[in-house]
């Protein structure tokens, strides 16, 4: 029922191809603000080489300059422009967030389909694996894995995806258990449709809206997790992510006894909070479309 409701709402809204303005007019102020912020971050990430006047990895002024005309967000302890670091850090956050979400949603979706459609010992084995992954303390294990396999963006994405696929897998499995009992699925099986044909032509199109909602949620979770790992010094040291900026700032001796935190800590923290909050707003809006009862 949930999948049918989402599919109907998704199509009736015209999103994303037919009537985008009509869909946007149905959004609440929080959803509209969230989309606006994410679009702004995307533009900043894409246009970073042009809107960042100074390089993000080279000194361009005196150390620890406060915000002013030349460096309007100030500089860090090496004299590197903070605005340039935030612009290029947006690329890292989006890359990690979207990469983790795509990998986790695709892998978790396929695992959920296999568990729900196959049933039997395959379903039991995969569900026990999901239960184990859920009860594992993800942050300590992620810290150990990140330290063991080395600091790089690819490794961070793989580690984050390893602990993120269980959420879409559980949701997809529950929906596949319902979908496989539908008459059109039974008819396709009667006429000799194979498993991969059913997955490609029936299950994935039906489940894509649910996976899209989960991807947005996973994107925000991955951005926060990457910032946490970078804050602990386990991120890619060459990436200049927002978490790495915070790590360098908090590692500076006496940061809280000076005024440096007012720009060195505050601005990357605000950028991180704005992005994660905006993703949460967008996810909430799509959840409202999935389940109209949430709007009551």
């Amino acid at each position: 029922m949930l999948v049918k409701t989402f599919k109907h709402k998704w199509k009736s809204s015209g999103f994303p191809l037919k009537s985008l303005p009509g869909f946007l007019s149905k959004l609440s102020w929080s959803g509209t603000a969230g989309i606006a912020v994410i679009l702004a971050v995307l533009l900043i990430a894409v246009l970073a080489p042009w809107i960042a006047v100074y390089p993000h990895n080279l000194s361009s002024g005196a150390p620890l300059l406060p915000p002013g005309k030349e460096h309007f967000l100030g500089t860090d302890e090496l004299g590197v422009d903070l605005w340039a670091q935030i612009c290029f850090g947006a690329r890292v956050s989006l890359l990690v967030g979207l990469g983790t979400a795509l990998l986790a949603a695709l892998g978790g979706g396929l695992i959920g389909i296999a568990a729900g459609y196959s049933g039997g010992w395959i379903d039991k084995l995969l569900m026990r694996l999901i239960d184990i992954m859920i009860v594992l303390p993800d942050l300590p294990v992620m810290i150990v894995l990140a330290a063991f396999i080395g600091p790089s963006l690819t490794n961070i994405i793989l580690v984050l995806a390893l602990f993120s696929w269980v959420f879409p897998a559980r949701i997809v499995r529950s929906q596949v258990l319902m979908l496989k009992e539908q008459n059109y699925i039974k008819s396709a099986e009667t006429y000799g449709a194979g498993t991969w044909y059913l997955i490609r032509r029936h299950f994935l199109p039906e489940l894509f809206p649910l996976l899209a909602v989960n991807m947005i949620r996973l994107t925000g979770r991955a951005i926060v997790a990457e910032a946490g790992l970078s804050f602990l010094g386990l991120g890619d040291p060459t990436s200049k992510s927002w978490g790495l900026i915070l790590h360098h700032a908090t590692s500076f001796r006496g940061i809280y006894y000076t005024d440096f935190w007012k720009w060195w800590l505050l601005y990357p923290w605000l950028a991180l909070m704005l992005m994660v909050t905006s993703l949460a707003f967008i996810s909430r809006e799509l959840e409202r479309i999935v389940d109209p009862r949430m709007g009551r």
Side-chain angles (χ1 to χ4, degrees):
M1 184 64 185
L2 185 61
V3 174
K4 288 184 177 180
T5 302
F6 197 170
K7 188 177 180 182
H8 172 72
K9 290 288 183 180
W10 190 277
K11 289 184 177 179
S12 63
S13 67
F15 184 81
L17 297 175
K18 294 183 179 180
S19 58
L20 183 58
F23 174 80
L24 294 176
S25 65
K26 299 177 183 179
L27 294 175
S28 65
W29 69 268
S30 59
T32 304
I35 292 176
V37 170
I38 295 302
L39 289 177
V41 173
L42 284 171
L43 284 176
I44 289 174
V46 172
L47 301 177
W50 294 276
I51 62 177
V53 180
Y54 299 101
H56 70 286
N57 53 1
L58 296 174
S59 176
S60 56
L64 299 171
L65 279 177
K69 293 182 179 180
E70 189 173 358
H71 301 274
F72 70 95
L73 291 187
T75 61
D76 63 10
E77 86 281 17
L78 299 177
V80 182
D81 185 67
L82 193 59
W83 166 246
Q85 294 183 57
I86 291 177
C87 291
F88 283 89
R91 292 183 166 190
V92 178
S93 295
L94 290 173
L95 176 62
V96 172
L98 295 177
T100 301
L102 286 172
L103 191 58
L106 180 60
L110 291 177
I111 291 173
I113 292 173
Y117 184 72
S118 300
W121 68 269
I122 296 179
D123 184 30
K124 292 181 181 179
L125 178 63
L126 292 175
M127 287 307 297
R128 296 297 77 78
L129 178 61
I130 289 175
D131 291 339
I132 292 173
M133 295 296 297
I134 289 176
V135 299
L136 280 177
D138 52 354
L139 182 58
V141 179
M142 282 193 294
I143 291 173
V144 173
L145 287 177
F148 179 74
I149 63 179
S152 72
L153 289 182
T154 302
N155 292 340
I156 289 175
I157 291 173
L158 291 176
V159 169
L160 295 179
L162 181 63
F163 288 89
S164 302
W165 65 268
V166 294
F167 303 105
R170 292 185 68 188
I171 294 174
V172 166
R173 174 188 174 271
S174 64
Q175 299 305 319
V176 169
L177 290 175
M178 181 198 69
L179 285 174
K180 72 176 185 179
E181 301 299 328
Q182 299 296 318
N183 291 331
Y184 68 93
I185 297 293
K186 297 286 187 182
S187 299
E189 292 175 337
T190 302
Y191 283 100
T195 303
W196 287 109
Y197 177 85
L198 292 174
I199 292 175
R200 186 179 70 255
R201 296 297 299 272
H202 295 293
F203 289 138
L204 286 180
E206 292 278 357
L207 297 170
F208 175 75
L210 289 176
L211 288 175
V213 175
N214 269 270
M215 284 178 60
I216 295 175
R217 187 182 297 113
L218 289 174
T219 300
R221 182 177 182 271
I223 290 173
V224 173
E226 185 277 332
L229 292 176
S230 296
F231 178 77
L232 295 174
L234 297 173
D236 187 349
T238 63
S239 65
K240 279 296 182 181
S241 67
W242 293 340
L244 196 62
I245 299 173
L246 294 174
H247 168 70
H248 290 318
T250 54
S251 298
F252 185 79
R253 182 175 298 179
I255 182 68
Y256 299 110
Y257 299 100
T258 64
D259 291 334
F260 303 152
W261 67 270
K262 293 181 180 180
W263 63 90
W264 197 2
L265 275 176
L266 181 61
Y267 294 130
W269 177 82
L270 283 176
L272 184 63
M273 290 300 298
L274 275 175
M275 176 179 281
V276 175
T277 304
S278 300
L279 289 170
F281 284 160
I282 297 172
S283 176
R284 181 71 176 180
E285 285 296 299
L286 291 181
E287 285 177 343
R288 183 171 58 85
I289 296 175
V290 174
D291 189 357
R293 293 174 296 180
M294 294 183 62
R296 296 178 183 176

